[in-house]
Structures are given as C-alpha cells and as structure tokens.
Amino acid sequence: MKKFLLLMLMFPLLSTAQTDHESTFRKIYDSALTQSKCYAWLDDLSNKIGARLSGSENAEKAVLYTKTQMEQSGCFDKVWLQEVMVPKWVRGEKETAFIRDGKKKTAVPICALGSSVATPKVGLEAEVVEVHSIAELETLGTQRLKGKIVFFNRPMDPKHVDTFTSYGGCVDQRGKGAREAAKFGAVGVIVRSMTLRLDDYPHAGNMGYGDLPRDQYIPAAAISTNGAELLSKTLKANPKLRFFFKQSCETFPDVLSYNVIGEITGSTHPQNIMVVGGHLDSWDIGDGSHDDGAGVVQSMEVAHIFKNIGYQPQNTLRVVLFMNEENGGRGGDQYQAEAARKKEHHIFALESDCGGFSPRGFTFDGSAAQLEWAKQTQSLFEPYLVHVFKKGYAGVDIAPLKSPNLLKAGFRPDTQRYFDHHHAATDTFAAVNKRELELGAATMAALVYLVDQQGQ
C-alpha cells in the first residue's frame, strides 16, 4: 500500500499516460451510452418487482433477480449471496389522518415512519404542539407537551445549493423526534416530510427509540409538506385544534436476507479488492428507482462496461449490492465483518446512493495524499461535465469497511431533484432519465479504472 500512496503522489498525468487514459475514458462513455444494460435492469427492478423493503418478499425477489443477471451477464468470475439478518417492519393498512378544527375535519396525507409502533387500533387523537427543533422540546417541558401530539415543522433550508446539506439540517427531527418527545410525555409525533417541494406526498424514512423502555414508545408519522403548511396555518388560527392519525405498522423478528456479490478476479494483484456498490432495499411506498435502484444497476454496469471494452482489472473488483441500508445498515456491517474474518485487503470502495441524475463528481474519504491524487484526475473528467472532487462522506454501506490506507468515494450526481422523490411514492422508474443514468455508470467506471491503474 505504500507503493499505492507513492504512485498517487507521483501521478502527474504525463502526456503518454494522459492520452491512454483519455482513450479509455472515451471507450467507457461510448459503451455506457450505446451498449448499457442498466436502464433495462432498473425497469425490471422497478416495474416487475417494485418496492423492496428489507425482510419483504420483493426484497428477496430482487436478491434472486440481480444474482441471476450477474451470473448471466458473463462479466464475473464468481457470484454469490452473503447471508445477513435484517429487520422486518411491515407498514400494514394505509394510514389515515385528519385535522379536527371544531366541527370541521380535513384529511391530510401521512405515512408511518420506518420502525415506528402503531397507534391504538381506533387511532390516536390529541391536541397538537408545533415545534421547529428538538431543542425546543426542552423549553416547553412536560407541562406543555404531556398528552399532546408533537408536530415537528422545520423545513429543509432552500438557501443551500447542495440539497443534502438542507436535508442534513433537519433530518434529526425524523430520526429521533419521537424518542425525545416521548421523554416529555407526548403521545405521538408528526414530522414534516424531508423535501423542498410543496406537494401531497409524505416521505418515509427511518426513526428510532434509542434506549427508551418499550412501554414509552410513541407512534411517529411523516406528513406531506402541503399538509404541514395547512396544519401550521390552522394551528395559528386555533391552537386548541386536534389531530387524528391511525397506522397499523408492526415489527416482526429479524429474518434472513442477503448481500449480492459479483467478483472479477484481479489479473495482477488479486489480493487487492476494489468495491463498487449500492443498496438493494428500498422504502415501500414507491418503487425505489432513484433510492437506490439507480445505484444498484450503475454498479452492475461498471462490470458490464469493462467487459464491453475488454478491460481486465489488475486488482480484484467486487460489485456489492447491500441489503438493509434504509432501516438498519446491516448489509454494510455484515460485509465488513466477513472481510475482517477473512483478513481481506480492500484498497478502494465506491458507493452510489444519491439517485440516477446527471453526474457531477465524487466526495472522498481518505488521506490528504489520496485526495490530492483524486484532484489530479479531474482534468480527465472535465470533458464529461464532471467537476466535483472534494473531501466528504462516501456512503452508509461502505462506512463500516476498514483496511489500511483504504480510499472511499461517494458518487455525487446533481442534487436538485433528488428530494422531490426521496422516500416518496414519486420515486418511480418514470422519474429516471436513461441518459443520465448511463452517464453516471460511466463516470463510476472511469474512476474505478483510474484507481485500478494506480492501486497496485
């Protein structure tokens, strides 16, 4: 690995090497734009299988489908399933909710948050207290919150150009809002959906109760942004209004599922492993095309591109389709546990989990020397309108992976439309552009190629 780092530092992209890399890049992009299979694979995942929440029948269909496709593609030396125990949370009947303002009842769209408990069978109705942060709960205290439904209404900040920054600024109310509200005697939680759009689609996502005793768990649901605006406006006119919601979700014992892994053995340094992957599971109210069907098929397409252009990796390449990113992260944890048990040596890991939109670049988690190497490659990507090469978080599923001097990267497409669809019923195949998806796969393959060229 010392040699790998030295090569990174010494990588000046001299004229001969530059020309060779440019030629290979052109082949990679040509293959993706004319011979790709990723859009057809996504069509099958989305329209023939559909939503793929961990522990569901569709998740298992997706495991078998992607394993079969990788086996039949002829791209891999080996394809296998890696066992992983995953949570099984079932939404149950469609949720209902309404605002009761005196004698007037107005229905609003909601969906239970992942891992939430159900309401009583007859539903739950109580007065509402609107807050804009978890910290605000403490200022209100038990006297104000006991017996109430807490309504978290902090919107995503539209001033950030990177919408993931906006998301990060308010997602804590979804993740731990119920846990914190329960400490003050609240009986339920309603959370504004994590999207910049005003629409009628509630956005799912996971939440947790931390170390709360089970008898203190309270139900939590997301409300659409239009519903949140209406509830807030109505509350200002009538602070004593009541809110009703009903959900029948349930958590069952963990079940067996799988990561799907395809491997191309390195021709020169097979002991060095490069990973490219996305997560196979998705939320259950759309079909998970952007989150993360796109990342799954783009990762598979990397191997397909290499086959089409006749490129044999010098280091071992693994395409890993992780299970259970959305409500547990068990797939990433299990992959790392197996890698540690086998004393495997990983030199690179790339994750695609930001949608199938136009590629913009990568964020890198590594040393200063590795980041400098990555920035030196930028000129090769510029003709393809890819320009973001910066230090940052790489991804949930590869976060647990550990190896000496491991470089991790997160694929970063354009973010402006991602949260229109994220965890919502609008995350469908129709929302994915074929050409954008293919360009993303090519960009990922190009980076894997460069790492392979330097990562001996």
Side-chain angles (χ1 to χ4, degrees), residues 55-275:
S56 69
E57 182 180 348
N58 277 3
E60 300 319 298
K61 288 179 180 178
V63 166
L64 295 176
Y65 172 78
T66 50
K67 178 176 182 288
T68 299
Q69 293 303 310
M70 285 202 275
E71 288 171 338
Q72 293 179 350
S73 70
C75 299
F76 300 95
D77 299 311
K78 181 182 178 183
V79 178
W80 73 97
L81 301 181
Q82 184 177 74
E83 293 186 353
V84 53
M85 296 300 293
V86 299
K88 182 179 176 65
W89 178 85
V90 177
R91 181 173 303 280
E93 296 178 2
K94 184 174 175 58
E95 304 88 344
T96 57
F98 60 79
I99 300 166
R100 189 191 296 276
D101 183 11
K103 294 182 178 180
K104 182 181 179 182
K105 292 197 306 184
T106 305
V108 289
I110 68 161
C111 69
L113 291 176
S115 302
S116 176
V117 295
T119 61
K121 290 184 178 181
V122 296
L124 172 66
E125 183 173 327
E127 290 185 2
V128 182
V129 177
E130 179 178 351
V131 300
H132 297 90
S133 69
I134 289 175
E136 193 176 341
L137 297 175
E138 193 161 344
T139 66
L140 295 172
T142 303
Q143 185 174 358
R144 182 74 177 86
L145 298 175
K146 187 174 182 180
K148 307 292 175 55
I149 292 172
V150 172
F151 167 40
F152 285 98
N153 192 32
R154 182 165 80 258
M156 290 176 60
D157 188 344
K159 295 192 299 295
H160 299 292
V161 174
D162 180 0
T163 60
F164 277 87
T165 303
S166 302
Y167 177 73
C170 62
V171 73
D172 64 328
Q173 59 193 341
R174 188 193 76 200
K176 56 184 180 180
R179 179 184 73 192
E180 298 304 317
K183 294 176 182 178
F184 297 97
V187 295
V189 161
I190 298 295
V191 182
R192 183 189 183 99
S193 287
M194 306 290 118
T195 177
L196 288 158
R197 288 184 64 176
L198 288 175
D199 62 23
D200 294 315
Y201 297 99
H203 289 232
N206 208 39
M207 52 80 65
Y209 295 104
D211 56 1
L212 275 182
R214 187 166 183 81
D215 62 359
Q216 293 183 26
Y217 288 8
I218 60 174
I223 185 172
S224 72
T225 47
N226 278 343
E229 293 288 296
L230 177 63
L231 178 56
S232 181
K233 178 181 177 180
T234 311
L235 266 173
K236 288 178 173 62
N238 178 13
K240 292 296 184 179
L241 69 75
R242 298 175 70 84
F243 189 87
F244 169 90
F245 72 111
K246 181 181 178 182
Q247 57 192 43
S248 57
C249 43
E250 186 174 358
T251 299
F252 296 89
D254 289 355
V255 298
L256 178 64
S257 190
Y258 306 90
N259 293 331
V260 185
I261 304 174
E263 180 176 282
I264 304 172
T265 305
S267 61
T268 310
H269 306 283
Q271 75 281 5
N272 292 344
I273 301 170
M274 305 180 296
V275 165

Side-chain angles (χ1 to χ4, degrees), residues 355-371:
F357 301 102
S358 293
R360 292 291 178 262
F362 304 93
T363 49
F364 294 92
D365 180 4
S367 67
Q370 289 169 327
L371 184 59

